[in-house]
Amino acid sequence: MSARIIDGKAAAARLRERVGEFAAAFEGTAGRKAGLAVVLVGDDPASAVYVRSKGKATLAANMTSFEHRLPADTTEDALIALVDTLNADPAVDGILVQLPLPRHIREAAVLTRIDPDKDVDGFHPVNAGRLATGLNGFVPCTPLGCLMLLKDELGDVSGKDAVVIGRSNIVGKPMAALLTAASATVTLAHSRTRDLPGHVARADIVVAAVGIPHFVKGEWLKPGATVIDVGINRTDDGLVGDVDFNGAASVAGAITPVPGGVGPMTIACLLRNTLVAAHRNAGVALDKDAI
Ligand code: NAD
């Protein structure tokens, strides 16, 4: 094995600490804590774990956590009414509705109801449009975390060839937009891409967000490439990524492990987005580059 292991857990801990310091300073200036509301509908066990850890991380970062747990048979109207209440609540800076929602609720109807300036998940079409056009807005937490890890590792990604595998609204598309904005040359690959190994072979940066265990093979990679594995797949061997880690680690220059790579950065970036939202909502200046 030759690749450097990108320690997302350590990077996330540093980011959370910085956010916590800024959040304490925010409380001193604004006279209130930054607040994040998390809404969970139903009893999906994985979602319940995510919501619990988001709540704990929020408190640890000197912010207020508002948790709303609703039964699985909650109507779409009732959920939208809660979103409206949170939109109007000045103590709530960020709103996150945990996905997936029960099938009888239209995700788009709920996500588009969140005030775009409280949309710390960055899923609202207004924020997707802001990202696409270079305006200030909220960027989805997972790709934001990936970009931070890439910048930590490479310094500057300008001019690098990047292949993003997967075109979801949550990971692939915003990742491609972020890398484009950072002046990388981006190929966005997906399930209909022809000759994926040929594209990957030219890439200095590979971001895999596919949802298939061990999908990206070491022999596809350009030697020395930086590999970011977004995948979280539950298998009989435990959690594994979308990249064949052992094969890739002997060719790549640097690689994120699963777990301990991208995953921890996601919650840290959620806290960062909430901090930014709080400053904006309270009219308090914040040097975003400092966090
Ligand atoms: P998704 O299912 O919405 O999208 C998967 C994408 O992969 C699609 O765009 C599809 O075109 C592409 N794809 C499927 N088969 C392919 C193939 N054979 N070749 C090339 N592309 C192919 O998934 P998602 O929500 O983007 O998540 C992707 C992975 O990332 C999952 O494993 C998920 O669990 C994980 N994830 C991790 C985090 C985190 O915090 N680390 C956050 C979100 C998602």
Side-chain angles (χ1 to χ4, degrees), residues 148-182:
M148 287 181 179
L149 292 178
L150 281 168
K151 286 191 167 167
D152 278 355
E153 180 61 31
L154 297 169
D156 192 0
V157 301
S158 174
K160 304 255 187 232
D161 287 318
V163 170
V164 177
I165 314 172
R167 57 175 160 184
S168 70
N169 290 334
I170 292 174
V171 187
K173 276 187 215 157
M175 187 75 243
L178 276 173
L179 285 165
T180 304

Side-chain angles (χ1 to χ4, degrees), residues 50 141-143 146 164-173 188-193 196 208-213 215 220 229-234 240-242 261-267:
Y50 288 139
C141 302
T142 299
C146 293
V164 177
I165 314 172
R167 57 175 160 184
S168 70
N169 290 334
I170 292 174
V171 187
K173 276 187 215 157
L188 182 53
H190 47 75
S191 54
R192 304 290 178 90
T193 295
L196 181 61
V210 190
I212 303 176
F215 177 72
W220 297 2
D229 189 350
V230 182
I232 299 180
N233 305 294
R234 283 165 224 282
V240 302
D242 290 345
V262 173
M265 287 300 284
T266 298
I267 291 186

Side-chain angles (χ1 to χ4, degrees), residues 120-136:
V120 286
D121 250 343
F123 295 162
H124 194 291
V126 165
N127 282 316
R130 287 169 171 164
L131 174 60
T133 55
L135 296 174
N136 251 334

